[in-house]
Amino acid sequence: MSSHGRRLQRSRPAPEQAGPAQLGWALLVIAAALIGGLAAATLVHTSITIAVIVSVVAGGIAVLATFWLPARPPEAGAGEPAEEDFGRYPAPRRRQAPSAQPPTAAQPPQALRAVPSASFASPGADPTAPLPAEPDGQARGGPPAGNQTVVQLLPLPPQPGHAEPPDVPWWDSAQATPPAPSAGAKRAPAPDLSTYLASTFIAQCPRCGAFRLDIRRGRNGWDFRCEACESTWTWQPGTPWPPVRVMPRRRRE
Amino acid sequence: MYERDISRRDPGCVVFLLDRSDSMKSTWVNSHETLAQGAARVLNEILLELLFTSQGEPGKARHYFDVGIFGYGIRPMAGGEGVEPAFGGKLAGQPLVALPDLRDNPIAVRETPSVDVGAPPSRVPVWVEPVHGYRTPMCQAVAVAGAHVYEWASAHPDSFPPIIINITDGMVTDSPYEGANLEEWAQRLVNIQTSDGPVLFFNIFLSPMAANGVLFPATDYGLPDPGPELFRISSLLPPPMIANAQSTGTMVEPGARGFGFNADATMLVRFLEVGTKVDVRD
């Protein structure tokens, strides 16, 4: 049994709890067997005592076969309680069955058809968790009571087209590897930065030597303004940088 | 990685996370602008720059980019504190907007004084308005934007990876958010990737004092809080953006990250110019 299954159970009534109707039927069967036995003894000229004993025994066996044996589960031995698998739940205590109408062959046990599979379709439902108590205070998911029939419910198979639940957060989905580029995807070569550091110098104010400069593209090159001494000058790429004099006293900050 | 050109077939994605907390009401030194006003103005300028870049024929914009702006802090539309798309007008509530739609739907077109002496005032479109209030739910901003970025990356697996730029002036106030701190949310964000590489996550910390600002540092040495944390969660500058920085005269060292600290409005402009410029082709 799957540990995620849940069992419901409905027991058959005990023989001693049969109603008056069953008792009448039993007596009728025994009487019929007795009449048949006496008739057979008359025909074959045998002992009436033996015929009565055989008839009563045969009638009793017929009564048992009709009203008692068909209701037992196949794995249970006659006269002893069935050893049932209740998973992690403890074995239930037998309770006296209520005085209900016993099931007959024409009446399938209700629990076999009363639990729709859709009732377990909720993704958050834990099949092993006890269900809320019924209004009468009996927990449906607890240990099966003695008056229930065992059925096993399996988890629903995944719905087609839903490989993963729809509520997967984006940050979990984003963990996947990057998609492969399409065949027609075009790439631009990355800028060549191999000579970047070699061709780069640190700009410094020629007037005071400060490094905090404001730079804008001008008409004749780049317009610089020193944020420390407000000095301005223009520089064209390819021309030498103006000579720098480090004069902190000229700075205003 | 990061070698893919932007094209109409494989457009790019630029997302801005805009701090709209109460502290953005501070005024920049030597300026009449608050941090919120300056950030909104610079954002509008960058959006206009993107439109210029994507202008195929006069008066038209090619769909080179999808753009998103998520404000965190006060929510002008929904009310209260949280995260919501920061576009206004007809684009209100839209998380990502294609450039042609952006071009056609500004909130307003306003006149601003021209930087050139004697020139007539410029007419500039406005898509984002400055607002401020409440605290700084930065983690939630990453979570909300990340969902849209993930969807975008799934739909554009061959594109240049999305660029997310976080503009803030304060300490994160919602870490941990849903069980993850800011660094973990940033890691989740950069786990998103296209075939050209992981998402780029850049951060710039504004300061009204505008002193000792740094751009694209290669180390967090000497930075006060929250500098080291923001440095750690910022992506390395990829080669195209190092070239961008070089072309604007910004000196960057190997290992430089897309991070700015104690930035003023000028540095914010330069930061966004470097972080949003990607080569485009047809």
Side-chain angles (χ1 to χ4, degrees):
Chain A
M1 170 185 160
S2 165
S3 62
H4 295 288
R6 177 181 288 116
R7 290 184 169 195
L8 300 176
Q9 179 170 318
R10 180 182 296 273
S11 75
R12 70 280 171 194
E16 64 272 19
Q17 294 161 343
Q22 280 70 34
L23 189 57
W25 279 107
L27 292 175
L28 184 62
V29 169
I30 292 174
L34 190 57
I35 293 170
L38 290 174
T42 304
L43 290 175
V44 298
H45 305 287
T46 183
S47 170
I48 294 178
T49 303
I50 293 174
V52 168
I53 292 173
V54 169
S55 300
V56 170
V57 171
I61 291 173
V63 167
L64 287 177
T66 303
F67 297 110
W68 200 68
L69 286 180
R72 295 192 70 88
E75 70 272 17
E80 64 180 4
E83 198 64 39
E84 296 168 351
D85 176 17
F86 294 100
R88 60 190 177 93
Y89 296 117
R93 293 178 182 174
R94 291 289 179 191
R95 296 193 307 176
Q96 287 288 71
S99 57
Q101 188 78 7
T104 63
Q107 281 182 314
Q110 264 194 326
L112 285 174
R113 53 182 170 81
V115 184
S117 59
S119 64
F120 290 85
S122 172
D126 178 6
T128 64
L131 294 177
E134 293 290 326
D136 60 0
Q138 182 183 7
R140 290 168 55 200
N147 62 343
Q148 293 174 334
T149 300
V150 175
V151 293
Q152 180 176 349
L153 297 174
L154 299 176
L156 287 176
Q159 299 298 314
H162 291 82
E164 55 186 9
D167 57 348
V168 172
W170 60 263
W171 53 87
D172 285 343
S173 303
Q175 300 277 2
T177 55
S182 301
K186 296 180 180 178
R187 288 171 177 269
D192 181 15
L193 301 177
S194 58
T195 60
Y196 168 59
L197 287 178
S199 63
T200 302
F201 60 88
I202 299 175
Q204 200 170 2
C205 173
R207 184 168 178 267
C208 70
F211 293 97
R212 296 189 61 231
L213 309 176
D214 185 22
I215 310 170
R216 295 180 184 277
R217 189 188 294 274
R219 293 181 178 177
N220 301 318
W222 294 93
D223 294 334
F224 286 82
R225 184 183 68 84
C226 176
E227 297 183 359
C229 71
E230 304 291 339
S231 172
T232 59
W233 68 100
T234 299
W235 172 78
Q236 285 185 322
T239 63
W241 188 257
V244 176
R245 298 182 65 185
V246 180
M247 302 286 287
R249 292 177 184 174
R250 293 180 175 174
R251 299 174 189 167
R252 296 182 180 177
E253 59 179 24
Chain B
M1 291 196 300
Y2 307 112
E3 298 173 341
R4 199 67 51 77
D5 276 346
I6 301 292
S7 67
R8 280 174 286 187
R9 197 190 70 171
D10 295 318
C13 178
V14 181
V15 172
F16 300 95
L17 308 182
L18 178 59
D19 189 340
R20 288 178 149 180
S21 63
D22 186 64
S23 57
M24 291 289 282
K25 67 185 177 186
S26 304
T27 304
W28 256 310
V29 172
N30 299 327
S31 170
H32 62 280
E33 280 185 327
T34 64
L35 299 185
Q37 290 170 331
R41 176 179 56 80
V42 173
L43 262 182
N44 287 319
E45 290 175 2
I46 289 297
L47 294 180
L48 185 60
E49 191 71 28
L50 281 176
L51 283 175
F52 285 146
T53 304
S54 307
Q55 188 170 357
E57 304 81 37
K60 292 186 178 180
R62 291 177 173 172
H63 185 186
Y64 283 142
F65 288 96
D66 291 305
V67 181
I69 303 177
F70 294 89
Y72 58 95
I74 190 172
R75 295 189 299 177
M77 303 291 292
E81 179 184 294
V83 182
E84 70 177 12
F87 289 120
K90 293 181 180 177
L91 302 178
Q94 294 193 28
L96 293 177
V97 177
L99 273 189
D101 295 334
L102 189 75
R103 177 194 175 280
D104 295 337
N105 295 288
I107 301 173
V109 179
R110 296 179 184 148
E111 289 189 349
T112 59
S114 175
V115 294
D116 298 326
V117 179
S122 303
R123 288 170 54 82
V124 295
V126 174
W127 291 276
V128 183
E129 294 279 22
V131 291
H132 50 76
Y134 294 96
R135 297 171 297 172
T136 313
M138 198 183 299
C139 292
Q140 188 184 359
V142 174
V144 172
H148 297 287
V149 170
Y150 173 72
E151 284 185 9
W152 188 94
S154 301
H156 302 84
D158 290 331
S159 287
F160 190 92
I163 303 166
I164 293 93
I165 300 179
N166 178 31
I167 303 171
T168 184
D169 80 317
M171 305 276 192
V172 55
T173 59
D174 67 341
S175 180
Y177 174 72
E178 292 189 351
N181 61 28
L182 180 60
E183 292 196 43
E184 290 166 328
W185 278 109
Q187 185 58 50
R188 289 172 173 179
L189 189 63
V190 298
N191 281 341
I192 302 172
Q193 49 192 330
T194 69
S195 60
D196 199 31
V199 155
L200 293 168
F201 186 36
F202 300 151
N203 292 272
I204 183 162
F205 183 85
L206 309 181
S207 168
M209 303 304 295
N212 302 319
V214 293
L215 274 187
F216 310 119
T219 174
D220 62 351
Y221 179 76
L223 295 180
D225 285 335
E229 183 180 33
L230 291 176
F231 174 85
R232 284 195 300 272
I233 66 175
S234 299
S235 302
L236 288 168
L237 274 184
M241 294 179 185
I242 293 178
N244 290 347
Q246 192 179 12
S247 69
T248 62
T250 304
M251 309 305 171
V252 294
E253 300 175 4
R257 300 203 181 203
F259 174 56
F261 191 72
N262 279 352
D264 58 14
T266 305
M267 294 173 71
L268 178 59
V269 171
R270 196 178 302 172
F271 185 86
L272 296 185
E273 284 177 349
V274 170
T276 60
K277 189 176 174 185
V278 183
D279 289 338
V280 298
R281 61 175 171 80
D282 283 346

